[in-house]
Amino acid sequence: MKRVKYIILFIFIFICIGCSYKYGSSIRNIRHSGFNLSKSEFVCDVIATEDEIKDPVKFYVGNYLITESGNIYETNLSKVYSNDMNCKKPDFDVSIKAIFDLSILKGTDNKYYYVGGTNNVAAFSEVSTNDEDYVLYDLLLKEDDVLKASTINAKDGTYYVLKEDGNIYQYTIIKENEVYKLINSFLLYDSSDYDSKILDFNYNGSSTTTFVKTEKSYYRMQVTNSEECYKYADVACKYEMLKDEKLTEEKDRIMAYSGSTLITNYGRVFNVNN
């Protein structure tokens, strides 16, 4: 019996070493871009395997993956679900068209749904027009070409909105006398300033978790004076949105990316090193 256990253990170690050798270059590239390799592995065969991307991930927000086909999956990076995978499709059959923060989904039926449950509403239940913020959601998501909206500064009413044209727009929405009003909108990030159409973004100020993903590349907020700012206490770090060459090289192997967490199609999880 012990001999069988040793054989199984040997096979497991051999497979792990083989996987590390096979994807060693990829792992190094991602680590050189400022990520730490997690001990956990990620299995979600309904989305991707080592050999095939079955349902490409469009957005990775919080603990949810939203795919190009409009499916949404819950994820757990530390445990598998009862399906023996780290992802699970919730009991929700509406195809997703757009998302606002980690709060609201817009379905292809043009209705709005809550992402997570609270004390008052169930997860994936429909947003009623009685919700005091319904008008805000509608102002951000009602246009057919909107894909993703994010709160930048709720106090001054600043929101970023990604549209199908591959550009990101800034909206200013204020609340006067309990009524939301869109008072301004303009083009913020023009895809012509990048190498191709913008597909996704995350904004977190001067932080390495701020990124723009295009059809061809990844751009990330990066420190341009690292030698000085990391050495001297009185030198502030300067940030600039630059193309991440190493991450871009691994573009076809990146299954999901949120800015802080990265998952590859060969099942490895990386966390950004701040």
Side-chain angles (χ1 to χ4, degrees), residues 110-130:
N110 291 320
K111 296 179 181 180
Y112 304 128
Y113 299 89
Y114 298 104
V115 178
T118 68
N119 292 331
N120 299 317
V121 296
F124 303 107
S125 59
E126 184 179 343
V127 179
S128 165
T129 53
N130 293 326

Side-chain angles (χ1 to χ4, degrees), residues 212-268:
V212 167
K213 175 187 175 183
T214 71
E215 291 177 321
K216 296 180 179 179
S217 309
Y218 283 96
Y219 291 80
R220 299 173 65 219
M221 200 70 80
Q222 299 180 49
V223 178
T224 58
N225 64 334
S226 58
E227 187 173 337
E228 295 83 10
C229 83
Y230 291 158
K231 182 177 181 180
Y232 301 110
D234 57 345
V235 176
C237 292
K238 297 178 181 179
Y239 289 83
E240 185 178 349
M241 188 78 83
L242 300 171
K243 182 177 178 179
D244 190 317
E245 299 291 350
K246 293 294 185 183
L247 218 57
T248 298
E249 190 175 329
E250 301 307 316
K251 188 174 183 299
D252 293 338
R253 294 189 177 96
I254 297 173
M255 184 181 79
Y257 178 51
S258 67
S260 56
T261 303
L262 183 153
I263 305 172
T264 65
N265 66 334
Y266 51 89
R268 303 315 300 264

Side-chain angles (χ1 to χ4, degrees), residues 46-85:
V46 291
I47 291 179
T49 64
E50 290 183 44
D51 303 315
E52 181 185 8
I53 303 293
K54 299 177 181 178
D55 194 5
V57 173
K58 193 172 187 177
F59 302 125
Y60 181 17
V61 184
N63 295 321
Y64 293 92
L65 300 175
I66 298 175
T67 67
E68 293 284 354
S69 65
N71 289 318
I72 185 168
Y73 294 89
E74 298 177 44
T75 66
N76 190 306
L77 300 181
S78 59
K79 293 181 179 180
V80 295
Y81 295 99
S82 56
N83 59 8
D84 292 323
M85 295 191 294

Side-chain angles (χ1 to χ4, degrees), residues 187-216:
L187 178 61
L188 182 69
Y189 292 117
D190 190 334
S191 60
S192 64
D193 294 330
Y194 295 86
D195 57 10
S196 53
K197 188 176 179 180
I198 297 173
L199 301 179
D200 190 15
F201 76 98
N202 180 63
Y203 184 81
N204 192 27
S206 295
S207 163
T208 53
T209 60
T210 293
F211 77 90
V212 167
K213 175 187 175 183
T214 71
E215 291 177 321
K216 296 180 179 179

